[in-house]
Amino acid sequence: MSHTTPKLNAFPVFMRVEGQTVAIVGGGEEALAKARLIGQSSAVLRIIAENAEPALLAFIAQTGTNHFAAAYEASQLEGAVMVFAASGDEELDRRVVTDARRLSIPVNAVDRPELCDFFTPALVNRAPVAIAIGTEGAGPVLAQMLRGRIDRMLSPSLGPLAILAASFRGAAENLLPRGSARRRFWNDFFAGAPARAAEAGQLSQAHDAAVDLLLSNVPACGHIALVGAGPGAEDLLTLRAHRLLMEADVIVHDALVPEAVVAMGRRDAERLPVGKRKGCHTKSQAEINTLLVELGREGKRVVRLKSGDPLVFGRAGEEMAALRDAGIAYEVVPGVTAAFAAAADFELPLTLRGVSSSMVFTTGHDLKGNSLPDWAKLAISGATVAVYMGRSVAAEVAGRLIEAGLSPDTAVAVVENASLANRRRFHGTLADLPSLEARADLSGPVMTIIGDAVAGANFERSEPLAAHRHEGASSSVAEGVQQ
């Protein structure tokens, strides 16, 4: 079950208004609020109000705004690029909307979303930088709250820094090749010495620092970040992972990484899926290693996005060895591994004082031989075991652990699609675990946690495994797992 991003019914754009007329019909508070908003731009304001209130008249006098002090007529809208119906009188607002549409001018009726061609955003103004926050008219208070939060995050020096950036744009395009070199310059411009000087109010020093940066001409060095994408939910990504995704030229991702996580990267980054799912062309690990080395040699900034944590069953060791051998710079960014997400979904303490003081992460695939692996012995001595596996391994794990002496009554928690909204939780005992093998309805990644600490989990939102234990018991599958 994939969750798709809801579609916007109002698409945000920035419209050129310099020297253009914006008409506001109304004489009260609503008209004044819109006049103040549009007054932050270089548009020419035209206020149409037969009886303007004192506060609006004061604004008109102070700003030199054009005031039509006459009863409203459609001809007063002519030549405007935007119209606001802000009279507070529904009948008049409807007339203004009808007239504006007849003249093919976009119109906004204040507090009447059903009549609006466009919505005005809550605005964070660091001219020429502007951040517009819209809610399609659904929650103006929410928009204002978000505006306050973003306003606090952004330095007042952002506007002057952006103006300085505009003055360097032509030189950067002439001197630096398109792609990673140019992007590196702008990253260093907005995050390095020019930005720090602008922050301190020293604009001439910011200019000199930008010149130095432009002329330094250091060849671009490739860099690979092996990044944990977490268990699936996009907001479980670390802040560092998100920053690297926003800086990446190329995102190399496993097929199991959800689209919502990949989409957090730069929109124009190249995306390279490298398989590991039925129906995808799967690259071998050797091909992936070669690809990362090639991209690094080309000077690209690469994010190698892996499910969960790259160092837990992520084959990062082989990729790091290949990058080391090739002399390519790399870093590792940890992610939330599936065991932690599954435990959180169950409110399950992985360690519990007096019950379990150690943990085992395993895929369970090493049970094939005659001798038990060490982790199985740890399970019997009280460790909590998190098994990263498909359903098919569950029966084998249960059978071998019971055979080795772990009580069939040991608590078990199972999560499909840990951390996602469509997660499914099951609970039971080790003896119930083989029923998973016949569960064709579990198509997502399955995580199983076994151990006495599991008994401390919250089972209110999970279904018992035992309900399925006897379904199809006559089938050879169910019988075979007990052998």
Side-chain angles (χ1 to χ4, degrees):
M1 186 179 115
S2 64
H3 74 264
T4 51
T5 309
K7 300 282 190 191
L8 287 167
N9 294 319
F11 188 78
V13 292
F14 287 93
M15 183 174 174
R16 282 189 185 279
V17 292
E18 187 181 2
Q20 303 281 2
T21 297
V22 174
I24 299 174
V25 179
E29 262 180 57
E30 293 94 341
L32 178 58
K34 289 299 179 237
R36 283 183 176 141
L37 180 69
I38 302 301
Q40 293 185 54
S41 75
S42 53
V44 176
L45 263 179
R46 178 190 297 168
I47 292 177
I48 300 154
E50 190 172 14
N51 303 305
E53 289 179 8
L56 183 59
L57 287 171
F59 174 89
I60 289 166
Q62 196 182 338
T63 56
T65 296
N66 297 331
H67 178 202
F68 288 24
Y72 168 73
E73 286 177 30
S75 60
Q76 296 158 338
L77 305 181
E78 284 173 14
V81 293
M82 269 194 284
V83 170
F84 289 92
S87 69
D89 172 340
E90 187 170 0
E91 196 182 331
L92 177 52
D93 281 355
R94 281 184 185 279
R95 247 182 78 201
V96 172
V97 167
T98 305
D99 293 341
R101 285 179 178 161
R102 195 179 63 247
L103 293 163
S104 301
I105 306 169
V107 61
N108 171 287
V110 177
D111 292 335
R112 307 187 205 284
E114 72 287 355
L115 295 180
C116 292
D117 293 331
F118 66 92
F119 301 103
T120 51
L123 198 60
V124 179
N125 185 351
R126 298 284 189 278
V129 176
I131 295 172
I133 302 149
T135 60
E136 296 184 8
V141 172
L142 172 63
Q144 292 298 341
M145 283 167 63
L146 292 172
R147 176 191 155 213
R149 207 177 293 176
I150 294 167
D151 217 351
R152 289 193 293 274
M153 285 163 54
L154 300 180
S155 162
S157 66
L158 189 60
L161 184 65
I163 291 167
L164 181 64
S167 73
F168 273 86
R169 193 166 171 181
E173 285 177 7
N174 289 333
L175 294 173
L176 300 171
R178 181 191 289 275
S180 56
R182 199 180 292 173
R183 197 156 41 246
R184 186 82 37 86
F185 165 74
W186 287 118
N187 274 337
D188 292 345
F189 180 97
F190 288 114
R196 285 193 294 274
E199 183 87 50
Q202 298 163 330
L203 286 175
S204 64
Q205 275 176 274
H207 181 277
D208 294 347
V211 171
D212 291 345
L213 199 57
L214 192 59
L215 301 179
S216 64
N217 204 13
V218 177
C221 296
H223 179 269
I224 316 293
L226 305 176
V227 172
E234 62 266 38
D235 56 354
L236 285 178
L237 210 60
T238 62
L239 291 171
R240 187 182 302 179
H242 192 200
R243 176 175 59 76
L244 288 164
L245 277 168
M246 292 305 292
E247 292 170 359
D249 303 311
V250 184
I251 300 167
V252 177
H253 63 94
D254 288 339
L256 281 174
V257 175
E259 167 61 24
V261 174
V262 181
M264 292 178 85
R266 264 194 27 251
R267 226 180 339 190
D268 53 346
E270 187 182 358
R271 297 177 181 189
L272 300 176
V274 287
K276 295 206 176 69
R277 184 183 275 176
K278 288 175 187 140
C280 285
H281 167 67
T282 303
K283 283 193 186 301
S284 70
Q285 188 59 52
E287 287 175 313
I288 294 170
N289 297 349
T290 304
L291 171 67
L292 294 177
V293 168
E294 281 172 3
L295 291 169
R297 286 192 172 135
E298 287 169 18
K300 298 282 172 62
R301 297 184 79 83
V302 179
V303 166
R304 167 74 176 108
L305 206 50
K306 294 167 169 291
S307 289
D309 181 280
L311 305 175
V312 180
F313 307 121
R315 301 188 72 170
E318 295 160 60
E319 293 173 12
M320 289 189 290
L323 294 167
R324 264 198 305 272
D325 292 346
I328 307 287
Y330 68 88
E331 69 178 288
V332 182
V333 179
V336 175
T337 189
F340 295 156
D345 286 344
F346 260 108
E347 300 163 27
L348 184 163
L350 288 166
T351 59
L352 196 56
R353 201 162 52 167
V355 176
S356 178
S357 60
S358 53
M359 276 185 303
V360 172
F361 291 175
T362 177
T363 60
H365 289 296
D366 51 0
L367 285 168
K368 301 269 187 267
N370 292 328
S371 61
L372 273 181
D374 289 341
W375 67 260
K377 296 167 194 158
L378 287 168
I380 292 155
S381 62
T384 305
V385 178
V387 193
Y388 293 66
M389 60 177 181
R391 290 175 297 111
S392 54
V393 188
E396 196 163 356
V397 167
R400 290 297 301 274
L401 288 179
I402 291 169
E403 192 182 293
L406 190 58
S407 166
D409 295 330
T410 304
V412 167
V414 177
V415 188
E416 178 202 30
N417 295 323
S419 85
L420 294 173
N422 62 339
R423 66 172 82 77
R424 293 174 70 191
R425 288 165 273 212
F426 304 92
H427 65 272
T429 65
L430 200 53
D432 302 323
L433 203 51
S435 67
L436 275 185
E437 187 160 13
R439 293 290 300 271
D441 59 317
L442 299 182
S443 54
V446 171
M447 189 77 221
T448 300
I449 304 177
I450 303 166
D452 292 333
V454 175
N458 177 356
F459 297 128
E460 282 175 22
R461 290 185 299 278
S462 63
E463 30 183 309
L465 279 168
H468 296 271
R469 189 174 167 189
H470 302 296
E471 279 181 23
S474 59
S475 75
S476 57
V477 172
E479 286 164 6
V481 297
Q482 299 296 353
Q483 289 168 4

